[in-house]
Amino acid sequence: MPCGSNCRLGAYHEAGLSSASRGGLLPAGGQEEIELSTILKIRATDPLMSAVYALRRNVFVVEQGVPEELEVDDDDRVATHLAALSDGRVIGTLRILLHQRSAKIGRMAVSATSRRKGIGRELMEFAAATASRCGAEEIILGAQLTACEFYKRLGYIEEGAVFNDAGIPHVMMRKKLQR
């Protein structure tokens, strides 16, 4: 779905975060606080993509055993990528693909040392706002079963049967966007 003039999905964009998180994210379970400086919207040709791909490779290939040849695909060339930065390092990422009135989120990854500190929530909220500005009425995603509760807390609803993606059980989830 092409975006209108006020929706430059894929253009460079630096985002301020919600007032609750601008000064850093609250520690979870007594863990060290992470200073999340910004979320950037980038294209596949951006030099920062090498760090995005490195994070995804570490999470999906190294940690989860996804075959390396499946991790990067043709959708990466046309997707809008979000990168969460802390001290200039990419600590989280996801990609957004638009199709008609739906946005599909995929390749959500947060570095092991940054998990359970609100980074994923910030990325998902930013992605929802971005998709909504581009005319999407809903977001769909294939969630790993181990992440379903995270997405449910953000308002996503499970749909359909469990399926295998790259050797990992997933389920489709959907969320209607507020207009």
Side-chain angles (χ1 to χ4, degrees), residues 48-123:
L48 196 56
M49 282 303 296
S50 62
V52 165
Y53 288 137
L55 173 61
R56 285 177 25 184
R57 183 184 183 285
N58 191 52
V59 170
F60 299 123
V61 177
V62 176
E63 291 179 25
Q64 298 181 352
V66 170
E68 192 151 10
E69 62 273 11
L70 297 179
E71 203 290 304
V72 175
D73 62 20
D74 288 340
D75 286 341
D76 281 316
R77 290 195 324 254
V78 295
T80 293
H81 299 267
L82 300 186
L85 303 177
S86 175
D87 295 325
R89 294 179 310 113
V90 174
I91 60 170
T93 188
L94 60 76
R95 72 180 185 189
I96 307 168
L97 292 160
L98 290 176
H99 181 70
Q100 296 178 6
R101 293 289 191 202
S102 293
K104 183 177 182 187
I105 293 179
R107 301 303 199 269
M108 165 73 148
V110 175
S111 68
T113 57
S114 301
R115 291 180 195 146
R116 301 194 179 280
K117 297 177 182 178
I119 306 301
R121 178 184 45 79
E122 292 285 352
L123 279 165

Side-chain angles (χ1 to χ4, degrees), residues 5 10 32 40 43 66 84-85 92 94 106 119 162 178:
S5 61
E32 182 180 331
L40 297 177
R43 292 182 175 147
V66 170
L85 303 177
L94 60 76
I119 306 301
V162 173
Q178 302 295 324

